[in-house]
Amino acid sequence: MSEKLVNATGVLCRLLEQSKPTINGAALLGGEFGEGGHELVRERLLVLGPALSYVTCPDCGIEMARVVRSVGVDQVLLYCDECGEVDADRALLQTYTVSLSRFIDRMVSSLELTPSNRKAIDNDISWRLGVQEHKRGKAQTWYFARHLNDHTVARHLVDQIRSDNAAQSAKIITSTDVPLPDGSPLVGYDIKNLAAIARMSQNVFLFFDDRAEVTVAQPEEEPAPVTSLRHVRHKGWAYVDGEKYELEGMQQKILLALMDAHAHRLEGKVIADRCGSDAFPFQPAKYFGRNNEVYKAFVRYVPGDKVYELIIHPEDADLF
């Protein structure tokens, strides 16, 4: 495995996390980024941006220096109020920016997804990459997002995942360091940092087999929830009056279906469809025989509307 390609993927993530994924040429092609910057340019994931007219003086490192004129092919003459005339490498003026469209195209092709399923969520911030279905009924919906430390970005991504009915199949790749901060709307989702699970190669990202399926655990909340669904998605646990209940598979699916539904209300048949059940009539209470306390705490049947409704407790208010 080429260490410089691993490094390049890390550099790419750092650039993607900037408000504008742009960097000065001298910083990119030298210094701390080393060979990583060269690889990004070679792989055409970075494109030339506008040349700068003012730069930080390379001599004093404090004042802004104005570009006076070119001196030969690779040098320019700067003028700094503090240092006077200063010779500098032309690379100091050049900027490079991440080509987001090319990057997303490469993510889609690397995951062998159908381009027609791609969708921008937040402009230049988050995308649905597409859907994989290697086995019938075992779909995975892939997303990529920058700036997931921003709760607004995270919330918009959650809204899209729910709109796609992909809460149980969502796979999120990000340039943001994980785990995400406490209170993130994405707590419990399967989120992986790109540099931790893949490296660049020629025209593709290669995913590490031993890492791509590893779920990054979110930090546990202390103290333990009193009555909460906070750990249903990721760990299959529900809490009632401070007691932890380990959910069976169908119990977890029923709760997730209600959690992810608009208004958190569904007819029995719709719940059955989302849980992959052929039972008719579908009666959720029958599946909670061993965890009846969980059913009573979180699910109620509304006879007039003929729907099942999720009971949201105050401790879970920030989840929805």
Side-chain angles (χ1 to χ4, degrees):
M1 182 189 305
S2 172
E3 187 64 31
K4 65 182 179 181
L5 292 174
V6 173
N7 179 49
T9 311
V11 172
L12 176 62
C13 286
R14 290 176 62 177
L15 294 177
L16 287 168
E17 285 303 294
Q18 297 178 176
S19 57
K20 292 184 178 180
T22 299
I23 188 171
N24 170 275
L28 174 72
L29 302 176
E32 61 178 314
F33 289 153
E35 287 298 315
H38 291 274
E39 291 300 323
L40 289 173
V41 174
R42 188 174 294 114
E43 282 296 311
R44 298 180 297 116
L45 288 173
L46 294 183
V47 295
L48 290 175
L52 302 173
S53 299
Y54 286 84
V55 295
T56 301
C57 176
D59 276 10
C60 67
I62 299 174
E63 301 293 336
M64 294 301 292
R66 174 176 55 86
V67 179
V68 177
R69 65 176 183 273
S70 297
V71 181
V73 177
D74 300 322
Q75 296 289 113
V76 293
L77 180 67
L78 307 176
Y79 184 82
C80 169
D81 289 340
E82 179 69 23
C83 306
E85 292 186 346
V86 178
D87 290 327
D89 193 312
R90 182 181 295 277
L92 190 65
L93 311 183
Q94 185 59 63
T95 62
Y96 292 83
T97 188
V98 178
S99 173
L100 292 172
S101 60
R102 190 170 293 166
F103 167 69
I104 293 300
D105 285 345
R106 191 163 299 186
M107 289 291 292
V108 169
S109 63
S110 299
L111 290 165
E112 300 181 349
L113 302 172
T114 303
S116 60
N117 287 329
R118 182 178 60 193
K119 176 182 178 179
I121 301 170
D122 273 333
N123 186 40
D124 289 344
I125 297 293
S126 58
W127 297 261
R128 181 184 67 208
L129 300 177
V131 181
Q132 283 178 333
E133 190 168 5
H134 296 305
K135 296 181 180 179
R136 187 172 182 180
K138 297 291 184 181
Q140 292 182 330
T141 307
W142 290 91
Y143 299 85
F144 180 85
R146 308 160 55 206
H147 308 318
L148 282 185
N149 284 332
D150 184 328
H151 279 24
T152 300
V153 173
R155 171 55 63 187
H156 288 173
L157 180 56
V158 169
D159 289 344
Q160 182 63 51
I161 291 171
R162 290 176 176 171
S163 176
D164 295 338
N165 290 323
Q168 297 178 50
S169 66
K171 299 283 187 180
I172 303 168
I173 301 175
T174 183
S175 49
T176 308
D177 288 338
V178 292
L180 300 182
D182 291 341
S184 171
L186 284 164
V187 65
Y189 279 89
D190 187 358
I191 306 170
K192 301 178 178 72
N193 175 269
L194 175 63
I197 63 168
R199 68 170 176 88
M200 285 172 42
S201 187
Q202 187 172 6
N203 297 319
V204 71
F205 288 101
L206 297 179
F207 291 88
F208 307 137
D209 291 339
D210 60 338
R211 302 184 195 175
E213 295 304 318
V214 174
T215 299
V216 177
Q218 298 290 343
E220 291 264 346
E221 296 196 4
E222 295 294 344
V226 177
T227 299
S228 173
L229 296 169
R230 191 167 298 275
H231 297 297
V232 166
R233 188 184 310 278
H234 182 55
K235 297 181 182 275
W237 301 342
Y239 285 82
V240 179
D241 295 331
E243 183 175 352
K244 182 177 77 174
Y245 292 82
E246 295 190 6
L247 301 172
E248 297 172 2
M250 184 58 76
Q251 295 168 1
Q252 183 185 30
K253 289 180 180 180
I254 291 169
L255 291 174
L256 286 174
L258 288 169
M259 288 168 65
D260 295 330
H262 180 67
H264 311 299
R265 308 175 91 214
L266 291 173
E267 295 178 355
K269 184 179 184 305
V270 177
I271 297 177
D273 290 342
R274 295 192 180 187
C275 293
S277 172
D278 295 325
F280 183 82
F282 186 82
Q283 297 175 304
K286 290 185 176 180
Y287 295 91
F288 284 82
R290 297 181 182 177
N291 285 326
N292 193 44
E293 293 302 319
V294 174
Y295 181 81
K296 290 191 296 182
F298 296 107
V299 183
R300 72 162 62 94
Y301 181 64
V302 184
D305 296 333
K306 296 183 179 179
V307 298
Y308 291 89
E309 182 178 66
L310 187 71
I311 301 171
I312 300 175
H313 294 263
E315 200 166 347
D316 287 345
D318 64 326
L319 290 180
F320 305 103

